Amino acid sequence: MKTLVRNGRVALDGTLQPLDVLVEDGRIAALGALEAASADRVIEAGGCYVLPGFMDFHTHVDDQMGPFYLADGYESATRVALENGITTLCTFVTQGPGETLLQAMATARAKAEGRSHCDVLWHLTPTTFSPEDIATLQALLPGGYRTLKLYTTYKRAGIFASYDRIGDLFRRLGPAGIRFLVHCEDDGIIGAVDATGLDLSRALTHTLLRPEEAEILAIRRVVDLALAHRASLHVVHVSTLEGARYLVANRPKGDISFETCPQYLFLDESWLAREDGHRWLCSPPLRGNRAPFLELIRQGAADVIATDHCPFCAQDKDGWNRQDLQTVPNGMPGLGSLPHIAWKLWEDDPDRAALGLATHVSLNPALRAGVGHRKGALRPGMDADLVVLDPQGPERPLRSTSANAHEAYAGFTSTLAFRHVLLRGEPRVRDGQLTQAQVPAGRPLQACPSDFLPT
Ligand SMILES: [Zn+2]
């Protein structure tokens, strides 16, 4: 089957070019002025941008988080993803108490397979580090597992790693080619906050419990460790101007990247001050004084824009006793809003916005996830994950998730319309709706965990 996407403006190497795109056998076959007669199927893209499929580099789905279970499973998350041009969902496998990482990976894969509408890639969160565990992580690399997530906080959840531990892992696994995704909030600073006298019935107090200094210090410590050990580092959900500036200043010295999230750009702590402010509790918290941070990100400072999509059921979010905000589940949805909010960074210049998406929501995340050879750009031989994006569709409210969770971007609207989304060459979305909702076609991008079990 040959498909021709014609008359669109195609994002290619940081420019927009009037090109036709020929797709064959799930891959990009050719770019240029091409004859419609040579194709079995023609997709008109006049007036639209033709962009590489998007990737949300940071999402949480179908997982237990403390006492709560996430509102989105693989089916609902990948549905809202693909309907908004996201052809690859990156999410996490966290090794739980009493299980091996391989067992946790097999469980996640069983949840995802047959239910995912877009492709899925897992970042791994190991929580035990015996010599066998380290050997397992090294053995997983050729199977496409290149990214490990570490946390500088969350002792109670059993996922905390000390700076010594992080440095040790950088030293032992960095040379093997593993990239480290690190949640940077210094646990010492957070632990030293004196909560007596603080009004824990107000969501805004969250900003005092997890202050900016905690993120800034952890970023400094982790960046310095990565440079010292020449490890590849990606700092997730950066929310502070000073933290971002430290990363920008040190990026030329090593293999360092970072992401920020829509909520740190277009929401601020005033949302926490609302009567229902607990619905916007996430960690790191929403911050104040967003203008200089927004301007830095507008200039392209963040390698990746990703959501940290972490939706909880409305009743779980609202079910706290209004006395201790620390009992509210931390996280909010964002997945379906990602391209719409990223677009807003540059909405005064639509061409720049389209290229911004191609760089920060397609190319860079694909490179950092280790799949840049097949995802993230429209080049011959690569997967034909492709978005035909009309910037002038009807205005509609943002919808971050189809699950029963409070919308994080209440009152926000977008005119971006996803006329067509192709997943590995197959048209799967027409005008923002799945065309074959009963036939999920997403695939895991990594080898089956059973391939790594000892025989
Ligand atoms: Zn997260």
Side-chain angles (χ1 to χ4, degrees):
M1 171 68 86
K2 290 184 183 177
T3 303
L4 188 70
V5 180
R6 67 173 191 178
N7 296 326
R9 296 177 69 217
V10 179
L12 192 66
D13 299 327
T15 64
L16 289 165
Q17 301 186 22
L19 293 171
D20 306 323
V21 183
L22 184 66
V23 172
E24 188 172 6
D25 297 331
R27 295 178 187 239
I28 307 285
L31 297 156
L34 303 169
E35 284 294 325
S38 65
D40 308 300
R41 178 166 54 199
V42 174
I43 291 175
E44 275 297 334
C48 294
Y49 297 106
V50 178
L51 306 177
F54 305 135
M55 173 182 283
D56 193 338
F57 194 73
H58 187 158
T59 72
H60 301 270
V61 300
D62 209 330
D63 210 352
Q64 186 81 31
M65 311 286 264
F68 305 101
Y69 207 86
L70 290 169
D72 259 321
Y74 280 90
E75 197 282 330
S76 61
T78 57
R79 173 192 294 261
V80 80
L82 197 61
E83 287 180 344
N84 290 283
I86 296 164
T87 49
T88 304
L89 182 86
C90 299
T91 186
F92 296 89
V93 173
T94 302
Q95 179 189 3
E99 68 176 354
T100 66
L101 184 61
L102 287 170
Q103 288 166 337
M105 291 162 66
T107 302
R109 193 183 182 100
K111 290 174 186 169
E113 265 184 332
R115 296 188 184 89
S116 298
H117 296 284
C118 68
D119 287 351
V120 174
L121 182 143
W122 286 285
H123 307 304
L124 305 179
T125 306
T127 54
T128 57
F129 301 98
S130 70
E132 298 79 55
D133 294 327
I134 300 290
T136 298
L137 292 170
Q138 286 171 325
L140 287 168
L141 258 171
Y145 300 92
R146 307 184 160 274
T147 44
L148 290 194
K149 174 92 176 280
L150 300 171
Y151 294 80
T152 62
T153 184
Y154 296 138
K155 275 189 183 140
R156 253 187 303 171
I159 52 178
F160 167 81
S162 68
Y163 296 118
D164 283 349
R165 163 82 71 200
I166 289 171
D168 186 53
L169 291 170
F170 282 1
R171 183 178 58 77
R172 290 154 78 187
L173 291 171
I178 283 177
R179 173 162 296 119
F180 296 89
L181 279 48
V182 185
H183 173 133
C184 288
E185 281 186 292
D186 183 80
D187 206 61
I189 289 183
I190 291 169
V193 173
D194 182 4
T196 53
L198 294 181
D199 183 358
L200 295 178
S201 70
R202 299 179 66 224
L204 187 57
T205 304
H206 190 52
T207 62
L208 304 175
L209 297 175
R210 305 189 84 89
E212 294 207 7
E213 296 70 41
E215 178 179 290
I216 294 161
L217 176 63
I219 287 174
R220 288 176 174 272
R221 294 289 304 267
V222 170
V223 165
D224 293 353
L225 285 169
L227 292 176
H229 295 292
R230 297 189 187 170
S232 174
L233 171 68
H234 176 83
V235 178
V236 297
H237 52 51
V238 173
S239 67
T240 58
L241 180 64
E242 204 175 317
R245 282 184 174 151
Y246 194 77
L247 284 155
V248 168
N250 284 279
R251 193 162 40 195
K253 300 178 192 166
D255 187 8
I256 290 172
S257 63
F258 75 99
E259 76 194 23
T260 189
C261 312
Q263 59 269 34
Y264 304 119
L265 297 167
F266 291 98
L267 301 178
D268 65 19
E269 61 190 16
S270 68
W271 291 78
L272 293 171
R274 291 164 50 130
E275 188 65 28
D276 56 356
H278 64 277
R279 294 178 181 175
W280 283 269
L281 276 180
C282 59
S283 291
L286 301 182
R287 310 288 193 189
N289 189 27
R290 292 292 78 192
F293 185 73
L294 195 66
E295 185 50 35
L296 186 69
I297 304 302
R298 269 173 58 84
Q299 291 164 16
D303 303 84
V304 172
I305 299 171
T307 61
D308 197 6
H309 179 74
C310 190
F312 292 97
C313 294
Q315 59 271 30
D316 287 342
K317 203 80 177 168
D318 290 343
W320 67 307
N321 58 12
R322 314 279 153 165
Q323 286 169 18
D324 184 359
L325 65 94
Q326 294 170 99
T327 62
V328 179
N330 270 221
M332 61 172 89
L335 179 58
S337 300
L338 173 60
H340 306 274
I341 298 264
W343 181 275
K344 287 187 192 301
L345 279 167
W346 306 284
E347 65 184 348
D348 51 338
D349 181 348
D351 284 3
R352 187 177 175 206
L355 291 172
L357 289 178
T359 301
H360 301 283
V361 193
S362 299
L363 178 64
N364 288 351
L367 292 171
R368 298 313 275 174
V371 292
H373 57 292
R374 58 182 289 199
K375 305 286 191 188
L378 299 174
R379 290 207 196 87
M382 294 179 69
D383 285 3
D385 297 342
L386 182 152
V387 170
V388 177
L389 177 62
D390 178 354
Q392 294 179 305
E395 188 171 11
R396 63 183 179 90
L398 293 192
R399 200 175 65 128
S400 296
T401 174
S402 58
N404 170 30
H406 295 299
E407 176 56 56
Y409 301 97
F412 286 65
T413 63
S414 170
T415 62
L416 298 190
F418 292 92
R419 297 297 181 208
H420 302 270
V421 179
L422 275 61
L423 177 67
R424 282 177 276 98
E426 274 303 304
R428 308 292 307 190
V429 169
R430 181 80 175 102
D431 288 329
Q433 300 285 319
L434 289 184
T435 53
Q436 300 165 72
Q438 303 310 315
V439 194
R443 290 184 195 155
L445 292 180
Q446 294 141 318
C448 189
S450 63
D451 298 348
F452 303 93
L453 288 169
T455 47

